[in-house]
Every structure is written in C-alpha cells, then in structure tokens.
Amino acid sequence: MTLTYVLVVLHIVTASAWFGLGLRLAGKARTVLSLQGPAAAALAEDTRSTVKWMNGFIVLTLIFAYTNFFYGGGFTGYPPQYHASLTLMLVLVGVQFLLIRPGWNSLADAVAEGADAASEAADGARKKVAIGTGIGHLLWLVLLILMYFDQLIRPFFV
C-alpha cells in the first residue's frame, strides 16, 4: 500500500510540473519572436531547456501511472475511466514529442539562424508550440477529471 501512495504522489508531482512548465511556453514563444538578435537566441535556448524538462516530466508521469496501474491489479483492478486515462496519457506524451518539442526546436533554430518574427518558419513553429501546449493542457484537464470521476462526477448521476 505504501508503494501505491509513493507512486501516486510522484505521478501527481511530475504531472503538475509538466503542466506548470507549459503554462508560459506560448508566451515565451511570442516573446522570442518579438526580440532581436542575441536576446532572442538566448531566450530560445534557455526555454529549450524548459522543454527538455517537460519531456522528462511527462515520461516520468507516464511511467508512474503505468507502474501504479499494473501494481494495483491492472485492467481488472481499476474501472474503465482509468483505462481511458492511460490511453489519453499516451496521447499527451505524443503531443509533447510530436508537437511541442519539435515546434520549440524549430523556433529556436530559426531564431539562431537569424530569422525575424515575420518569417513563415518562425511563426509556424510558434503556432505549433501554442497549439501543442493548448491541446496538452486540455488533455491534462480531461485526465484529471477522469481520475477523479468517482468523487466528482458520479455522485451527480447516482
């Protein structure tokens, strides 16, 4: 039972860290494009490390979720909303690695090459980051609701 609590706490901490780090990511992308020269490149590189931290936190969140799920009995030990949560967690990891990370890397590379805010590549990368974080935060909220479904939603329908 203690391992379950530890895994849940670690899952919550890493998921919260991912969410928190992503809150200002779209704003930082706009700021990078509003700056010029070395200042833009420095902010883009600094924020690239934030995206790397997000990569780690979302993978750890997934690992802790699946470890706790299978330690707690797997598919027979949990109700269907947890099965859906695990699937959506995979989608969230995909959003991080297929939208947010490549979007920021493209933005940082475009700024490092001297592209200005009006360039199509830089603006497209900014939009990719903004869309990715928006989708990711929406998925995060849906996951949170699914995990607390029995406590939050079900009492209204019983």
Side-chain angles (χ1 to χ4, degrees):
M1 191 56 96
T2 303
L3 180 61
T4 299
Y5 291 132
V6 169
L7 289 171
V8 167
V9 167
L10 290 172
H11 173 73
I12 291 169
V13 167
T14 55
S16 299
W18 180 88
F19 186 87
L21 287 172
L23 283 174
R24 297 263 316 147
L25 206 56
K28 284 187 178 188
R30 278 191 307 275
T31 303
V32 164
L33 292 181
S34 70
L35 297 173
Q36 299 296 323
L43 181 59
E45 274 307 309
D46 182 55
T47 307
R48 193 188 304 241
S49 68
T50 300
V51 173
K52 287 179 185 176
W53 278 102
M54 289 175 68
N55 294 341
F57 282 129
I58 202 64
V59 168
L60 286 172
T61 302
L62 180 73
I63 289 169
F64 294 137
Y66 273 91
T67 303
N68 197 25
F69 182 76
F70 288 112
Y71 180 74
F75 291 100
T76 59
Y78 287 96
Q81 68 264 22
Y82 286 94
H83 304 181
S85 294
L86 290 174
T87 303
L88 288 176
M89 190 72 216
L90 287 172
V91 173
L92 182 56
V93 170
V95 166
Q96 174 69 31
F97 284 98
L98 298 175
L99 281 175
I100 298 172
R101 184 182 69 167
W104 192 270
N105 287 339
S106 297
L107 178 65
D109 293 343
V111 168
E113 293 170 1
D116 61 349
S119 80
E120 193 173 316
D123 193 50
R126 179 196 61 81
K127 289 177 182 176
K128 198 175 197 180
V129 169
I131 290 168
T133 54
I135 291 170
H137 284 133
L138 178 63
L139 280 170
W140 192 92
L141 180 64
V142 169
L143 286 163
L144 186 66
I145 290 169
L146 283 172
M147 285 185 272
Y148 289 102
F149 183 81
D150 287 333
Q151 293 87 359
L152 296 174
I153 309 297
R154 193 177 304 251
F156 293 109
F157 295 105
V158 175

